Amino acid sequence: PSVTAALRDYTAVRDHLCPTPRTDRFFVSATGDGSIYRGELGDTATPVPVFIPGAAGESATGLKVRRGKLYAAGASTGTIKVYDVDSGALLATFDTKGGDSSPTFVNDLDVTKRGDVYATDSARPVIYHLSAEEIAAGTPAPKPIAAGDAISTSPEIPFTAGAFNLNGIVSRDGG
């Protein structure tokens, strides 16, 4: 089926979507080129438009919306990006690779009530943490995360090198 038909199917079941709180707007990401689509639930008359165009070498997986910002996990790019939810303007890019050439796959993320971001990496035994202050100080140009922002998951969470490991993440109400 076409992208529009597939997104309408997702709309019908409300699965694999990033809904915008208190609106009928939703976002869907593309791993192939990082495109982010924005649509309206129940709108079957128009194709779901690209909100943020993708590019070769880009990717987007997990999405979250909070306080006027759209957060995107960058999959194998090793990035976490923050966009303005209304305009699509890129506000901040964080590079989790830290000069490490080993595989990475920033798969999902969550944003706490305070505004901190936690993100999983399916190819590395870590959970990334960016504070609300780091997010606010971010720039569109990629900014490496601090070494302390990569929280080791070993030995509490088993890790298998070369396999797909951590995936979804949800934060507690207290952050």
Side-chain angles (χ1 to χ4, degrees):
S2 70
V3 169
T4 299
L7 291 177
R8 285 193 185 124
D9 288 344
Y10 281 132
T11 301
V13 298
R14 293 181 182 230
D15 191 17
H16 302 292
L17 293 176
C18 177
T20 304
R22 294 179 286 281
T23 74
D24 285 336
R25 186 183 296 167
F26 68 89
F27 297 90
V28 178
S29 61
T31 56
D33 70 356
S35 292
I36 298 175
Y37 298 84
R38 180 174 69 184
E40 299 290 329
L41 294 174
D43 178 2
T44 59
T46 58
V48 176
V50 173
F51 177 57
I52 299 168
E58 290 294 316
S59 191
T61 48
L63 301 173
K64 296 296 182 290
V65 173
R66 186 173 286 271
R67 295 187 183 146
K69 294 183 175 94
L70 172 64
Y71 299 82
S76 60
T77 68
T79 59
I80 298 169
K81 293 185 178 184
V82 184
Y83 299 93
D84 180 275
V85 76
D86 293 318
S87 70
L90 180 61
L91 303 174
T93 302
F94 298 92
D95 178 5
T96 67
K97 295 181 297 250
D100 186 343
S101 62
S102 65
T104 183
F105 196 94
V106 182
N107 196 0
D108 195 19
L109 51 79
D110 199 19
V111 184
T112 68
K113 287 182 180 180
R114 185 181 172 289
D116 287 7
V117 172
Y118 290 87
T120 59
D121 192 321
S122 298
R124 295 179 180 183
V126 297
I127 293 174
Y128 304 109
H129 170 245
L130 296 169
S131 69
E133 294 78 18
E134 288 173 297
I135 298 292
T139 64
K143 179 179 179 180
I145 66 166
D149 289 341
I151 304 165
S152 175
T153 59
S154 296
E156 294 84 16
I157 300 172
F159 177 81
T160 304
F164 202 75
N165 291 275
L166 295 178
N167 187 0
I169 187 166
V170 175
S171 61
R172 295 179 44 187
D173 287 341

